[in-house]
Amino acid sequence: MTQDNHNNAYKFGMVIDLDKCTGCGSCMVSCMSENNVPFKEDESNKRDSITWMRVYKLTNGKSFPDTEIAYLPRPCQHCGGEGDHGHSPCVSVCPATATDYGYDTGIVSQIYTRCFGCRYCMGACPYHARYFNWWDPKWPEGMEKYLSPDVSPRMRGIVEKCSFCYHRYQAARDKAYYHGDKDHIKEEDYQTACTTACPSNAITFGDLNNPAHKVHQIVKPDPHPDPRNHHVVGKSRNPKVFRLLERLGTNPKVYYLSEREWVRKQGDHYLEGEWDKIKNHHGTTSHG
Amino acid sequence: MDSALIPEGAKRCSLPKFSIGMAIVGAVLLWGVWAMFLCWFKGLNQTNMNDYYGFALWIWADLAVIAVGGGAFFTGMLRYIFNIKELKNIINFAVIIGFICYSSALLILAIDIGQPLRGWFIFWHANIHSMLTEVAFCLSCYFAVLTIEFIPNILENRQANKVPFFHHLAHNMHGIMVIFAATGAFLSFFHQGSLGGVAGVMYGRPFAVREGLLIWPWTFFLFTWSAAAYGPSFTLLVTKMTEVITGKKLVKDNVVHLLAKISGWMIVTYIIAKIIDTIYWAYVTAPSLGFKLSHFYTDNSFYGYWILITEIVICGIVPGAILVIKSTRENPTLRLVAIILGTIGVCLNRWVMVLQIMAVPVMPFDTWALYIPSWQEVATTVLPVAYGIMLIALAYRYLPVFPQEKELNSVKPITESE
Amino acid sequence: MQSATRKKQATKVIVSSVTSKNQKHETLNFNGELYMKVDRRSFLGLGLGAVAGVAVSPVGLKLTDDSSIWTQNWPWTPVPVDGRVNYEKSVCSLCPGSCGISVRKIDNRPVKIEGLSDYPVNDGGACLHGIAGLQYLYDPARVKTPLKKNGDKFEKISWNDAIALIAEKLKGIRTEGTPEKLACITDKDQGSVSGLFRRLLETFGSSEFYTMPSLESYLELTASTFHGKGNTIAFDLENANFVLSFGAGIIEGWGSPVACFKANASRKERHAKLYQIEPRLSNTAANADKWIPVNPGTEADLALGLCAVILKNNLFDGSATINFMGGFNKFNAMLKRDYSLSKTAKITGIKASEIEKTAKMFAKAKKPVAVFGKGRGDGAQSLKELAAVHMLNCLVGNINKKGGVFVKPVSQYLNFPSQSMDRVADAGFGKNKTGSTVNQLFEKIDKSAQPLIEALFVYNANPGYNLHDSKRVKKTLDKIPFKVSFSSLLDETAMLCDIILPNHTFMERIEDVPSGAGFAKTVVGLSKPIIKPLLNTKHPGDSVILIAKALGGNVAKSFEWANYDQCLESVTSNIWSPLSKRGFVVISKGVPAYRPLVNVSFLAQNPATINAKGDYALTLIPIDNMRLINTGTASSPFAVKTVSDTVIKGKDIVVEINPLTAIGLKDKGFATLTTPLGKARVKININEGMMPGVIGMVRGLGHTFDNKYVSNIGVNINDLIGQVIEPGSGLDAAFGIKAKLVAA
Amino acid sequence: MSELENKAKNDSTISAGEKIAQKIKDDKGLGQGVILFIIAFVVCFAGSTLLFPKLLYSKKEQPFNFDHYLHVYEAGDCEACHYLREDGSFSGIPKLETCMECHVEEPLGVTDDEVVFVKEYLAKDKEIPWHVYAKQPDCVFFSHAGHIDTGARMDFNECHGPIEETKTSRTYEENRITGYSRDIWGKNIFGIKKNSWDRMKMDDCAKCHKEETGHQGYCFQCHK
Amino acid sequence: MFPFSFEWVWDIGHMIFFGGLWYAVGILSAGMIYVILKAAWDTMSESINNSGESH
C-alpha cells in the first residue's frame, strides 16, 4: 500500500514547455479518447464543452504586425492548496466529499457516483478545470465500442475533471505489485495520455518529489515556503518556469516554461512595477 | 361557505373572490412547477447556466430569500429572548414569512442540484470543512424550528382549536417557545453566516475571498448581520403589502415604529462594518493578490462601480439613516421607501456575492462571463413567490395571524368574548 | 366551549355501545352514526400502524439508498467491458504523413490510438486526427454495403452485382474502341493500391490517371522543372539551422505533420532559426523566431527579390551556380530588371532593409532551407512561387547536403509484374493524356460537347468538395455518365457517383504506407488490420482486382493474384520480410549521393504572377487549421470539438479580419461575405494577427453530407474561390479572391 | 411493498385482533384505535421486512451448474483459471479458451450440465454468460494484485467465501433497482454480517483498510 | 453525520460541528416530545376527570 510506503509519498506534477507547444490539440483529443469524455453535436459554446485538457490561446495584446500568440494547455492543476496541505480550492468546499486530495499521490480525485452536482467546486476553481454534465452523455450508435473500461463513463448532473490519468497509475501499481516492488513506480510506467500524445514532447510528467524524474530536474521545486508569500510552496527555482495564479496560494502542480517574458507575465496578476522586480527571479524571491 | 374556518370577528372577502385570486396565483405556480419538472427530467441543460456560471439565478434566489427570511429569526429572538412584548403582534406573520422563505430555499436547492435523488449525500457523507455542508444542516434544522413555530398558529384555527389535543398542544408549545426561538437563533446565526462563508472562503476567487476570524471569513458575520438587519424591513414590507391588499390595518403603529427603529440601527451598524470590510478588501486583500479594484468593476458591459455605490450608499446608508431618525421613520412614505431600498440592498449584495464572483475573470487571459437566465430558471424562481403569496393568503384568511386586527378594525369596542 | 362538552357526551355514548354489543361482529350492524365514529378511529389506528410499520422497517432507507445508486447506474449509461489489454502496431494513412501508431485493445476491442514510440517518422507523437481514428472506425454514417444510385437515392446492392455492373459498363467502353475514356482520380501515385489503379487503367488502355493536387505532386513538379523527370524534393528540417518558410504551415499539418512538429520542437536545443513569411500570424508564424507579413500572392516576387539580393551581393555558392543550365544569365538579367530591391519592397509590402537583411541571413546561414507550399502544401499553388523559392535553395547550393534540401529519385520500392497489353490497350494508352492536372481534365470535359470521359473511378479523393469553384466541378462531374467511388463515407463526390464500393477504414486494412510529402527519409510502413472489418466493406485493392478479373482478357491476365494480401506480398517482395516483421522499412535515409543538374529555364522566362480575380476591396485567403481535415474526408467529432469558437460558432463559420479593415463590423457579429462566385453568411473575429485588407477563412468546413457532428457547419471556401489557371504550368494557382464584407 | 398486499394480510388476521379487543376491558376511548395500531404496525413491519427483499432481488440461475470442488480437484489449483496476468491485471472469470484447454468435443464427465456446456457453448464457440456473484459496480477499481499473495496476502475466502468446496452454483440474486449483485449489498436486509463474505460494500473495504494500513485510503484508490 | 458514516473521523472538527448540531437537534426533539406528551396528558386528564374547563 502506498499509504505506508516508508512515507515517500509521490507528488505527481507536470511541466509544459509553451515554446514547443504548437496548439495542435493532440493532447485534448488523446485525453478525451482515453477518459471516455462525451461529445455533443454543437461544441462551439466553449463554456459548456467538456474538455478536461483545454488549450488556451494567449496574445501579447499588441496590434499588427507586433502581435504575438502562444498556446497554453491547461489540465486540472491538482492544487495542493495553501501551504500544500491538501486543502485545494475545490476539495475544501465540496459538501459531500466527492473530491479529495490524495496525500499519497498529490492527485485531486473526483468521484462521479458521489457528486450530486451542486457545482460549488466549479465556482471555487479559478482555472475553470471542472466541467459539469449539463447533458446526458450519448455516443452515436456503435461508438460506445471504443470506450475504455479503465474510466467509468459519467452521467448527467455531475462534475468531472482531469484525473492525471489516475487509471494509468492504478495499472502501474498493479504491475509493480506483480513484479514485487510495490512502492516503486518507474517514471515511464506512469505517464498521462496528453504527455504520450504530444507530438513535440512539450509535456513532461512525473514525480516532483523524485530528483531522478525529468519534471523535477526541469522545475527544481523549492520545498520551503516562499518568504514573501507563506502560502506558496514548491516555487520553481528555474527562472523560466512559472505557475498559473501562484499568488492565490493554490499551489498548482502544473508548471509552465517559456523563454518569452510576455508569456510568463500572463501567468499571474501584477500591480505596476511588481513584474520588473521579480522578472528574472532566481529561486526563492517571490512577489509579495 | 368557509365562514366556519375564518377566525371569530374577522371580516374576509367572499370565497369566490378569494378563489379567483388563488387561481391566478395558482396558474403562475403551475407554470413554475412545469419548469421544475422540465429541469428534473430533462436535466439542467434547460437553464442558461454553463461551466463558468455554475452558480447563477437559483443560488442568488436562495441567498436572497434566506437573507430576507432573516426577519423570522431576528424578530423571534427579539420577542422571546429580549422579551420585547410589542413584537408579539407581528411575530406570527414574521414566522409565516420565514417559513415561506426557507421552504422556497429548500425547494430551489432541490431543483438546482444536478442529482436531486442523491441530495441526502450532503448529510450522509458530510464534509465538515465545507460551508455548504453547514448551510445544509442548519438550514434544514432551522426550517424544522420554523415549522414548530408555525404549528401553534395553525392549531389556533377555529376548527382545529376544537380538538382538545390540538388545543392543548398549541397552548403548551406557546409555553416553551422561548427554547425553540433560542435554538432557532443559534442555528440561524450559523447558516446565515455560512451562506456568506460560501463566498468568503473561496481563496481561488480574489473578488470573493476575505480574511476572517479563525475559520470564518468576515462575510460570514456580514451575512448574518445583514440578514438580521434587512429581515425585519422585509417583514414590514410584506406586512404593508398585506395591509394594502386586504385594505385593513393589521399592526399598530408603535409595533411598526419599534421594529423599523431596530432594523434601522442594525442597518446602520451593518453598513459601517460592510464599508470597512470593502475598503480593507479593496486596498489590502485584493492588491496582495495583484488585483486593482478596477479589475472587478471595469471593461465589461454590466458590472460597474454603480453596483457598489447602489449596494452601499443608496440601499444601505440611505435606508439606515431614514429608519434611525425618528421623524423620517414615522413618516409612512419615507419608511416605505427605506424598507424597499433595504430589501433591494440585501438582494443586490447577494447578487454581487454570487454572480459577480462568477463573472470576474481570474486567469489573466480569461474573459468576463455574462449570463442571462432562461425562462425555466425564472419560472422556478417565481414559483416560490407564488407559493408564498398563496400561503400568506390562506394563513391570513383562516388563521388568527394578527392579534391586533380585531381591535384595529372593529367599529365599536367589543368585550373579550372568551 | 359548548361544542367541546357536546363532543364529550358523544364519545361516552360510543364507549358504552362498544362494551354492550361486543359479542357480535361490531363493525357490521351499527347504525350509520355510531358506525362512523368507531370506523374513523380504527381506520386511523390501522393507517397509522401500517405507515409506522413500514416506516420503521428497512424499506424506506433501502429505497432511498437504492434510488441514489440507481442514478449511479442508469441503464442508458454505457458500461465498457473489461478484459485483457494488449497493444498492436500499425500505420495511420489519414494523411501523407503516415505516422506509426500503437493501438491499445481490450480483448481484441480497440479503445485507444497513440503514436508508436520507435517509428522513424513520428517516434511516439501523433496528431489529433490519428488519435481520434476510432471515431472513423465506428462512425454510424459509414457506408455499410455497396450502393447503386437509382434516381437521386442510393439502394443496396451486393458486391458481385456491383462488380458485374461496372465490368459490363467498362466492356461497353472498350468495345467502342475508346478505352481512354476511363479515368481515375486518387490522392497519390505512391503505394500498391494506387499502383493497382494505374495498372488497371493502363491494361484497360487509358493513361487518364490523375492525382489530386497535393504537396507530393507539387514537389515532383518542382523537381522535374529544375532537375528533370522522376525526381522529388525532401527537406532535412531536423538538421537545418535556418528555415525560411514561405507560408508553409510547418506546425500546422504541412508535409509529414508529426515529423515537422519534432523538427520544430528540437529547434531550441539546436539553436536553429525559423522565419515565417505569411500575410497572417499563423501558429507557425507565432512559434517562429520572426514573422514577416507579406501581401498575399506576392511570395514568388519576394523569393525572386531575395534571389536578386543574393546575386547582387554575390553571396551565392559559386561552385553550384556554374553548372546551372537553361539561361542563368537571362534569369540574372531578369532579376536585375524586374526585381530590384525597391520594386520588390513595393510589391510585397515589406521594407527593403528587411528583405536585404533576410536574404543575407539566409545566404550566410550554415544550413539554410527555403520551404515552399502555402498552408498544408496541398490545394492551389503557383509553380512560379514553388520554383522561385526552390531557386533560393539552388543559389545557396544547399542541395543534397546534411541539413539541406534533398533532390532524389521517386522511390520505386514496388515491383509490379509486367502488364499484358492487347491491341486496344496499346492504342488507347498510346494517346496523350487530356491534361497534366485534374483541373485541366475538368476544364477540357467542360469545353467538349460529347462526353470526353465515359467512366471515372474516384479513390481517396473528394474533387467535388476540395477543388476551387466546387459548384462548377460538380457540374463537370455530372457530365461524366458513369462514376464509381471507393469512399467509406458518403462524401460530396460519392453522392454524385453511380456505384459506391465502400472500402475499409485504415484500421481494417493491410497495406503498404510509404512516407512522403517532403520527409527526409523514405520509410514504408505496414498498416495492419487492428480489427476484423465491421461492415460489408472490401479492401480497395481487392475491389480493383475483382473488377480486373471481371473484365477478363489482357486486364485479367495482368491481375493474377487471388486477393490483395497475396498481391501486396508479391509486389513488395524485396522488402516484405522486414516489413511484415518490424512493421516498417527505411528505404533511404542518408543524404542522396549525386549532385542533380539545375535548369532555370522556367524562371528565366519570367512567368506572369497570378493575382486574385474580382475587383472588391479585400482579399479572401484560405487558412489551413491543424484541427480540421481539409482534404475532403470529414474531421472526427473530437477534432471538431477542439476547434476554437473563433473559427466555428454554432452552425456559422467565423472569418478573421484586422480591426483596421473591419469598419462597421462588430466582433462576434454577423456579416455577408461576397466574392465574384457567391455570397456567404459569416461571423466576424476581429484579429490583430491578420494583415489589414485580408480576410481569412478556414478550409475543411461546409460539408453537405449527413454527419451530425461536422456537416452543415459554416461554408466550404471552395464555393467562394474561383480557379485561376497558371499559363506556365496549368496549375490552379488561385491563392485567394477579391471579396467584400458587409455587416448583416 | 404495495399497500394492497398489506391490506390482504391484515384482513386474514382481523379475527385474532378482535378476540384481544374483547378480552381487554378498557374504558378509554382510544383503546380501540391503539390495539388496531399495534396490529397494523406488527403486520406491516414483519411484512415489509420479509416480503420486500423477495420483491427487490431478482433470482437468476447460472447457464449451467459449475462444480468448483471437482475442478479444483482436477486442475490442481485455482491459478489454472483465476490468475494474474503479466501486467498485474486479474484474469477474473476464465474465458471459453481456458475451458478448452481441458474440455473437448465430447463431455469428460457424466453430469448433464457438462452436456449443456459442450453442446450450447463449446460447439458453438460462444462465451458463457456467467453471472458474477462478486461483480463490483463500474465505478469501483479493485486490484487483485494488491490483495492476494503479491500484495496483502489475503485468503480469497475472506471475500468470496468457501467457493472451492461448493459443488453447485447457487442462485444469482440481483437488485432490480441498482443492478448490484446481492453479495455486494449484503444478504441480510439489516446489514448484519455473520462472516466476512456476506457483504462487500464500501464500509467493509474501509474497515479492513483502516485496520491493515491505518487509513481508509483516498477516493481514487478504489474508484475509477 | 453518524460515527459509523464512512467520512466520520473523531477529530476536533467533527466534535465541534456535530456536537453543536446534535445538541440543537436534541433540544428540538426533546422540546417537541415534551410538548406532545404534555398535550396528550392534558387531553387525557381533562377527559377523565371531566371537571370544568381547566384552562
Side-chain angles (χ1 to χ4, degrees), chain B residues 69 72-73 94-95 98-99 102 141-151:
Chain B
F73 98 85
V95 161
F99 178 83
Y102 278 75
C141 291
Y142 185 63
F143 177 62
V145 169
L146 275 173
T147 327
I148 293 167
E149 284 174 351
F150 191 26
I151 288 170

Side-chain angles (χ1 to χ4, degrees), chain A residues 5-214:
Chain A
N5 60 355
H6 331 305
N7 52 47
N8 59 359
Y10 303 108
K11 190 176 170 195
F12 290 111
M14 192 183 270
V15 61
I16 304 176
D17 184 340
L18 300 185
D19 299 338
K20 287 189 171 147
C21 172
T22 67
C24 72
S26 286
C27 53
M28 287 173 85
V29 171
S30 178
C31 169
M32 290 194 275
S33 167
E34 177 86 17
N35 292 293
N36 302 341
V37 175
F39 49 92
K40 315 196 289 287
E41 279 166 29
D42 175 11
E43 291 278 1
S44 67
N45 173 3
K46 292 309 169 188
R47 294 221 163 112
D48 63 12
S49 163
I50 299 179
T51 48
W52 290 11
M53 165 73 94
R54 164 154 303 165
V55 177
Y56 281 91
K57 186 172 181 178
L58 276 58
T59 169
N60 64 356
K62 295 207 175 84
S63 57
F64 181 86
D66 314 326
T67 189
E68 285 183 63
I69 58 170
Y71 286 93
L72 185 138
R74 192 273 302 128
C76 163
Q77 309 283 298
H78 291 274
C79 305
E82 288 182 333
D84 228 4
H85 300 312
H87 304 312
S88 329
C90 49
V91 168
S92 57
V93 296
C94 171
T97 339
T99 176
D100 84 341
Y101 183 80
Y103 287 86
D104 55 348
T105 54
I107 288 176
V108 177
S109 68
Q110 177 71 15
I111 304 310
Y112 311 122
T113 43
R114 169 73 65 78
C115 169
F116 62 92
C118 74
R119 306 187 297 284
Y120 187 10
C121 59
M122 280 162 62
C125 170
Y127 303 100
H128 296 304
R130 293 175 153 274
Y131 300 90
F132 185 73
N133 280 284
W134 300 100
W135 278 270
D136 231 335
K138 258 194 279 310
W139 282 268
E141 184 257 336
M143 273 204 196
E144 321 85 51
K145 293 206 194 67
Y146 73 63
L147 293 177
S148 152
D150 302 340
V151 183
S152 61
R154 274 73 63 195
M155 65 290 290
R156 90 166 182 247
I158 57 123
V159 173
E160 59 184 64
K161 73 169 190 62
C162 146
S163 67
F164 266 174
C165 281
Y166 198 86
H167 56 281
R168 289 186 171 198
Y169 172 71
Q170 290 167 339
R173 265 184 51 198
D174 266 6
K175 198 168 148 201
Y177 268 114
Y178 184 75
H179 293 295
D181 56 357
K182 64 179 167 61
D183 297 330
H184 177 61
I185 306 280
K186 288 197 281 296
E187 188 175 10
E188 67 281 6
D189 274 356
Y190 174 39
Q191 288 293 326
T192 62
C194 48
T195 311
T196 49
C198 180
S200 358
N201 299 96
I203 307 177
T204 313
F205 178 80
D207 178 9
L208 287 166
N209 282 348
N210 184 340
H213 284 203
K214 282 201 292 304

Side-chain angles (χ1 to χ4, degrees), chain D residues 109-175:
Chain D
V110 288
T111 61
D112 47 23
D113 291 292
E114 192 185 352
V115 172
V116 169
F117 162 58
V118 167
K119 271 227 293 333
E120 291 305 316
Y121 299 98
L122 197 67
K124 296 181 181 148
D125 200 25
K126 193 156 79 86
E127 283 301 330
I128 306 159
W130 296 111
H131 298 297
V132 182
Y133 300 117
K135 175 131 183 48
Q136 288 286 345
D138 184 37
C139 64
V140 168
F141 166 80
F142 180 78
S143 153
H144 274 90
H147 289 84
I148 55 177
D149 41 25
T150 49
R153 262 185 276 289
M154 282 172 72
D155 175 10
F156 66 87
N157 294 104
E158 281 195 53
C159 300
H160 294 287
I163 196 151
E164 78 278 17
E165 284 129 16
T166 61
K167 288 195 168 52
T168 58
S169 331
R170 54 188 166 85
T171 320
Y172 170 76
E173 288 179 286
E174 187 180 83
N175 184 323

Side-chain angles (χ1 to χ4, degrees), chain B residues 225-257:
Chain B
W225 205 330
S226 58
Y230 291 107
S233 297
F234 180 72
T235 313
L236 287 175
L237 180 65
V238 176
T239 317
K240 185 77 183 118
M241 275 198 246
T242 322
E243 280 175 348
V244 165
I245 292 166
T246 57
K248 293 194 186 62
K249 188 126 186 56
L250 301 170
V251 183
K252 281 211 177 90
D253 280 348
N254 67 337
V255 175
V256 171
H257 293 160

